[in-house]
Amino acid sequence: CSSDLEGIQMDYHALGKRIREERLRLNLTQEKLAEEVGVSTAYIGQIERGERSLTLDKLVKVVNRLGDRKSVV
């Protein structure tokens, strides 16, 4: 049984850039966003630089905090 998502890859650099743009649009610091979603500031920085991937639960928390789901994912 083949999945519809088979072969799809996430562009973590693009995702990180969109997260950073939304964070800045909301005038949030990395520290504040990290605190509100329960991760470290270093982790947010790594995500924004595309150096780390997000687990689904962390992605949902970040997107929900940033508000505009369409512009983030």
Side-chain angles (χ1 to χ4, degrees), residues 3-70:
S3 167
D4 289 338
L5 298 178
E6 200 171 301
I8 294 177
Q9 293 185 358
M10 174 62 73
D11 182 344
Y12 291 107
H13 283 97
L15 177 62
K17 181 180 177 185
R18 290 192 303 264
I19 289 171
R20 181 177 189 274
E21 288 169 353
E22 283 302 301
R23 177 181 60 78
L24 292 174
R25 185 181 65 79
L26 296 170
N27 295 314
L28 287 173
T29 63
Q30 286 183 342
E31 293 80 6
K32 184 69 174 167
L33 178 59
E35 177 185 314
E36 292 183 7
V37 299
V39 299
S40 71
T41 302
Y43 185 73
I44 293 294
Q46 291 168 336
I47 290 166
E48 288 184 356
R49 292 188 300 274
E51 297 170 357
R52 297 248 341 232
S53 61
L54 289 125
T55 59
L56 182 58
D57 65 317
K58 297 292 189 237
L59 177 60
V60 168
K61 287 180 181 182
V62 168
V63 170
N64 283 338
R65 173 56 187 96
L66 296 177
D68 189 357
R69 291 165 186 82
K70 292 178 192 170

